[in-house]
Amino acid sequence: SYELTQPPSVSVSPGQTASITCSGDKLGDKYACWYQQKPGQSPVLVIYQDNKRPSGIPERFSGSNSGNTATLTISGTQAMDEADYYCQAWDSSRGVFGGGTKLTVL
Amino acid sequence: EVQLLESGGGLVQPGGSLRLSCAASGFTFSTYAMTWVRQAPGKGLEWVSAISGSGGSTYYADSVKGRFTISRDNSKNTLYLQMNSLRAEDTAVYYCAKPTVPTTADAFDIWGQGTMVTVSS
């Protein structure tokens, strides 16, 4: 079965750039999306179709996808961005989520 | 306003059954494929099942295939998940989710608040 791999944790200082990767076989041939989830809340879509931002998502969130890796980049990271982030793609009509990355802003 | 509201969760014994519902509003429900996603306590998101807008096509994760059945009633704008032969590892918050466009394979822009299912004796 298809798998997506994320680093368990990423740390960033306020105002700096955070990058979270998501790896999967030929992931660049699929669309990747990213969700942000804060404790006790439902996930929120922050990037879809590799690099599109839904309405209401700040411009500091961006995405890319090529080869075997999709990347979520948060520029000028703020304390409010501290959360779990999940990548997701589709394979054979079935959804696949990465294991999630805890972003710490310190 | 687009909304999804899950219900039906609770405590059930191993081997038991439960039916979850997801009431949709604010969009043309029948044109959208819908999905169930779950999250075990302290764990990540797991895709569970999806159904096409007409209900004619259904898809399942290997972990629930043969035990769970997804369905929908477009006249009631409601999505269902019938869960049978429940196991301890099915304990999770169950979310229903709507894709950004009316196809199965797209990102989920709307999520419900989730309903907790606990499988324990």
Side-chain angles (χ1 to χ4, degrees), chain B residues 71-121:
Chain B
S71 63
R72 63 192 298 159
D73 185 337
N74 287 340
S75 69
K76 296 182 178 179
N77 289 349
T78 302
L79 175 72
Y80 302 101
L81 186 67
Q82 177 66 43
M83 304 185 296
N84 298 332
S85 302
L86 282 162
R87 307 165 179 168
E89 53 264 37
D90 295 318
T91 295
V93 174
Y94 285 73
Y95 297 99
C96 60
K98 166 194 164 294
T100 54
V101 294
T103 63
T104 306
D106 206 340
F108 309 120
D109 62 346
I110 301 295
W111 295 66
Q113 86 291 348
T115 187
M116 182 71 202
V117 172
T118 302
V119 183
S120 176
S121 55

Side-chain angles (χ1 to χ4, degrees), chain A residues 18-81:
Chain A
S19 294
I20 300 174
T21 58
C22 174
S23 298
D25 185 48
K26 298 181 181 178
L27 180 56
D29 292 344
K30 311 176 189 294
Y31 275 140
C33 61
W34 293 88
Y35 303 93
Q36 175 193 70
Q37 187 180 36
K38 296 182 179 179
Q41 297 183 17
S42 300
V44 172
L45 180 66
V46 294
I47 292 290
Y48 69 103
Q49 291 181 8
D50 295 339
N51 53 24
K52 295 181 172 61
R53 276 180 295 104
S55 173
I57 300 301
E59 290 185 8
R60 63 179 180 274
F61 288 88
S62 64
S64 64
N65 185 17
S66 179
N68 295 323
T69 304
T71 303
L72 173 68
T73 302
I74 309 173
S75 305
T77 307
Q78 301 182 8
M80 69 173 66
D81 300 328

